[in-house]
Amino acid sequence: MATLVPLGTAATFGVLANTAVTNTGPTVVTGDLGVSPAGAVTGFNPPGTVTGTIHVNDAAAAQAQADLLIGYGNALLQPATATVATELGGTTLTPGVYNSLSGTFSLNGPLTLDAQGDPNAVFIFKTNTTLITGAAGTVNLAGLAQSSHVFWQVGSSATLGVGTTIRGSILANTSITANTGAIVDGRLLALGAAVTLDTNAVTVPALTTCQVVVQPVVGPVVVGQPTSVSAVVTCNGLPVSGASVTFNGGAVPVTVTTNLAGVATGSLTFNTAGAATVTATVTAAGTACSCTGVVSAPVTITVGAPTGPLSASPACWRVNLPFPIPHLFVATLKATLTPAQAGVTVTFYVSGLPVGTAVTNASGVATLNNAGLSILQISASSYTAVATVGGSTVQATGSLTPCFPPV
């Protein structure tokens, strides 16, 4: 299921670039326009006009670029619903996340996006490289679809042909060029380079009210181990700070508060292997938006079985500089107890000799920093962690290799 891409403060920008915004002709941007971190805006006032504010290398443009990066990453990580042909013209698509078969999208005819009666339906199009539209390329909305819920994640650059009409926000990793007369019901947002305009109409779509979006979970999820989860809360496209967000789906719900970027980050623990569904609910928000009670779309994650009561992480040794006394070499050794249990002493051995102990923290992790090793011990290819849990001795072996560089 496609979920709304959080744009943060970038949501108010009709045009946003990294290096330059260049315009020819009477372009009209209904919304803000900006460039950051360094560059210039040319071709406005006159002949182009901007109904909002022009931001040139200021704090607002910098924050918008930072928020755009988060939104781009969110779109990039959303799993695909389907892979479709490169040419989108002449097709009708329902809500979802669409990858290109060839890694690029073209639009040389009408594309209809049918929300099937759901005004909250989201459409995301993802390309590894380019998005190129022709003069006959148009995006039409049906079934209560909204341009504010359409996103184009472009791996390199987007080129809009003469007279084309596109709906949705283009999030380009590099640059965007809108040729003469191209109409954009959405946003032109470039992360890496310039936006070039020529007699265009760019209109920021009507902003929605409160949205809560759970971010993709990064890394493996294992039974009994705390897993970091986060969600973005926005009101009319802007971040909501100080909101209480409750995450459900783990063994015990957890409630956390959003930061200035509208991001709430918490930790869930899962007791059962298999599929788990995580949702985020705004339980309190001191804003004019009606955020309280808003629930995110569910995100399904796969919970793996525990790897064992004790596991040892890969480690590497290095020369103990600048004063290699009393040990010529040192290494950082780490062991994890599953399920997590704090206060357990773990003893670490290399070549059968103890090199130190560490105590597990609340996450069940024991870390021995700068364990001293002799020249004979660095010839070992592994180390051993040993602990006593519930009256039983458990142990695990981790690899031990030279660091690169070994200093």
Side-chain angles (χ1 to χ4, degrees), residues 369-397:
N369 292 306
N370 297 321
L373 304 176
S374 68
I375 194 169
L376 294 177
Q377 286 174 310
I378 65 170
S379 64
S381 60
S382 64
Y383 72 95
T384 303
V386 180
T388 299
V389 181
S392 300
T393 300
V394 294
Q395 69 179 45
T397 300

Side-chain angles (χ1 to χ4, degrees), residues 317-318 326-331 350-351 353 355 371-380 400:
W317 56 262
R318 65 186 187 280
H327 302 288
L328 291 175
F329 308 95
V330 292
V350 179
S351 296
L353 299 175
V355 294
L373 304 176
S374 68
I375 194 169
L376 294 177
Q377 286 174 310
I378 65 170
S379 64
L400 181 63

Side-chain angles (χ1 to χ4, degrees), residues 100-201:
S100 165
L101 181 63
S102 66
T104 180
F105 275 128
S106 59
L107 181 65
N108 293 290
L111 166 65
T112 300
L113 304 181
D114 185 357
Q116 300 180 317
D118 180 6
N120 296 314
V122 176
F123 300 81
I124 299 176
F125 296 89
K126 307 193 332 179
T127 79
N128 293 332
T129 55
T130 59
L131 166 67
I132 301 175
T133 72
T138 60
V139 177
N140 301 317
L141 303 179
L144 299 182
Q146 301 185 61
S147 57
S148 59
H149 287 56
V150 179
F151 301 90
W152 304 82
Q153 178 263 311
V154 180
S156 58
S157 299
T159 302
L160 307 183
V162 174
T164 192
T165 298
I166 196 163
R167 302 182 191 278
S169 298
I170 298 178
L171 286 60
N173 193 40
T174 307
S175 63
I176 303 172
T177 299
N179 287 303
T180 308
I183 297 172
V184 181
D185 179 15
R187 306 174 181 88
L188 302 178
L189 310 174
L191 274 170
V195 175
T196 303
L197 306 168
D198 182 358
T199 316
N200 309 120

Side-chain angles (χ1 to χ4, degrees), residues 312-318 331-334 381-383 398-403:
S313 302
C316 65
W317 56 262
R318 65 186 187 280
T332 297
L333 309 179
K334 182 182 294 185
S381 60
S382 64
Y383 72 95
S399 64
L400 181 63
T401 59
C403 298

Side-chain angles (χ1 to χ4, degrees), residues 188-226:
L188 302 178
L189 310 174
L191 274 170
V195 175
T196 303
L197 306 168
D198 182 358
T199 316
N200 309 120
V202 181
T203 304
V204 174
L207 300 177
T208 56
T209 54
C210 187
Q211 296 285 340
V212 186
V213 180
V214 177
Q215 304 301 287
V217 175
V218 178
V221 180
V222 179
V223 167
Q225 294 188 6

